[in-house]
Amino acid sequence: IYAEYGKQWYQRRVRVGPDNYELALSLGHLASLYNYDMKRYREALPLYQRSIVISVSIFGAGFSGLEYDYRGLMHLYSNTNQMEGYHENLEKLRDWVELRKLCES
């Protein structure tokens, strides 16, 4: 019941306004709900992808919130046996980690 309530709340948030940080965050949360709790991987995929595009356009490739989307995509691809997508996002996560290290030094 909580998953269904959460899904409805996030769907309302996703319909609101232009691309902005709150939209990217809501997209990522809805994607995670679909991915981890509801196993609705096809619906989660475009939400993660849009969340990443918005976040990178606003904050850049080193944005801390991207880690959750990359890990979510890895989980999604792993659970749907799409290992090419898994490894592609593993590589993006590794690049992100290196970029974060550069930003912090």
Side-chain angles (χ1 to χ4, degrees), residues 81-92:
N81 204 30
Q82 298 179 57
M83 299 318 289
E84 185 177 327
Y86 174 87
H87 289 290
E88 180 182 318
N89 281 281
L90 176 60
E91 208 46 48
K92 288 180 182 180

Side-chain angles (χ1 to χ4, degrees), residues 33-71:
L33 180 67
Y34 282 147
N35 186 14
Y36 291 99
D37 297 320
M38 301 176 84
K39 313 299 185 228
R40 293 167 64 176
Y41 305 114
R42 264 194 287 165
E43 292 168 86
L45 179 60
L47 299 175
Y48 278 128
Q49 292 168 331
R50 187 165 174 216
S51 176
I52 289 169
V53 168
I54 294 169
S55 295
V56 169
S57 72
I58 295 171
F59 299 109
F63 174 56
S64 61
L66 291 169
E67 177 181 9
Y68 303 104
D69 290 339
Y70 291 141
R71 289 188 185 278

